[in-house]
Amino acid sequence: MDTGLTAAENRELETRMQKRQLKEFMSVIGNLVDTCFNSCINDFTSKALSGSETGCITRCVQKSMTTQARMAERFAEQNQAMAAEMQRKAQQ
Amino acid sequence: MSFFGLGRPQPTSAEKIAAVENELKMMADMHNRMTRVCSAKCVDKTYRESDLAKGEAVCLDRCSAKFFDVHAKIFDQIQKETTERMAAAGGSGGGFGM
């Protein structure tokens, strides 16, 4: 991606991006916990996780990660299409 | 996708880095929102399966396309409405005036 920055500026940007990615990762985990807990855990007659609850959590995580990966692909495609469209409009 | 060079004086180093960072942040934010919204609409919340069903996958694809379209439409409409409303207000009050 040509951002028009010098090498030093790019390094600074990369440092910031790494910090941001770490924050992002933590927030992904947080969202996953909230989502899967809300969907899977509804029985508080026991304090131990049941087998079905554990299975649900496992499937929830797997499905969420598959969904994220698919959404990332679609996002990249849509973004490219949008950028191309904007260029086309700008050249009119 | 850069919006520099619109006749302003040369941006400082900090400004340039901040601008790129902000743009990436906006993109990441949009990505997260799209994932959350489309998962809520398309994915079975009982999580009976660990794989995405074919119907869910197709729904996600269509949802992402619509999400981008809605984003663009709302963006255009807000710009248009803001311009029209400001023109109608004739400069009195200014701002969003809602």
Side-chain angles (χ1 to χ4, degrees):
Chain A
M1 183 172 82
D2 174 25
T3 56
L5 301 177
T6 67
E9 288 167 344
N10 266 323
R11 274 198 300 278
E12 169 67 21
L13 183 67
E14 198 168 314
T15 312
R16 293 202 196 180
M17 292 314 301
Q18 278 172 348
K19 270 209 296 212
R20 182 171 295 286
Q21 269 168 349
L22 184 60
K23 241 168 99 172
E24 186 74 30
F25 179 67
M26 297 311 298
S27 115
V28 163
I29 292 194
N31 283 333
L32 208 50
V33 171
D34 288 350
T35 304
C36 296
F37 187 91
N38 279 333
S39 293
C40 293
I41 313 298
N42 296 302
D43 173 23
F44 298 100
T45 58
S46 161
K47 75 175 182 189
L49 280 179
S50 72
S52 69
E53 285 174 332
T54 311
C56 180
I57 298 282
T58 305
R59 291 188 300 270
C60 175
V61 172
Q62 283 174 322
K63 204 164 200 176
S64 299
M65 289 179 72
T66 308
T67 303
Q68 289 236 337
R70 194 179 189 96
M71 288 285 93
E73 284 174 29
R74 294 293 94 80
F75 184 81
E77 289 165 14
Q78 293 288 345
N79 220 19
Q80 257 193 337
M82 188 173 75
E85 176 68 16
M86 279 175 65
Q87 259 207 337
R88 192 187 62 81
K89 280 189 178 162
Q91 282 167 355
Q92 275 177 351
Chain B
M1 231 172 75
S2 172
F3 299 109
F4 290 130
L6 299 177
R8 303 179 310 163
Q10 269 299 321
T12 66
S13 196
E15 282 175 354
K16 282 199 279 182
I17 294 178
V20 175
E21 200 183 357
N22 278 335
E23 192 166 330
L24 291 170
K25 189 172 150 194
M26 281 188 337
M27 280 174 60
D29 177 63
M30 187 163 168
H31 176 205
N32 289 336
R33 283 192 348 260
M34 183 183 83
T35 303
R36 201 177 60 235
V37 159
C38 291
S39 296
K41 288 200 179 284
C42 292
V43 175
D44 164 37
K45 285 188 204 3
T46 62
Y47 295 105
R48 281 168 297 196
E49 296 283 326
S50 61
D51 292 321
L52 271 179
K54 186 80 176 135
E56 290 173 330
V58 167
C59 177
L60 286 172
D61 293 345
R62 291 172 181 166
C63 179
S64 65
K66 283 197 165 174
F67 190 87
F68 266 80
D69 283 346
V70 166
H71 178 96
K73 267 201 166 38
I74 291 183
F75 192 77
D76 287 341
Q77 185 172 354
I78 284 193
Q79 279 192 323
K80 207 178 83 171
E81 298 247 355
T82 306
T83 312
E84 285 173 6
R85 283 166 197 243
M86 276 173 64
S92 67
F96 249 70
M98 283 203 285

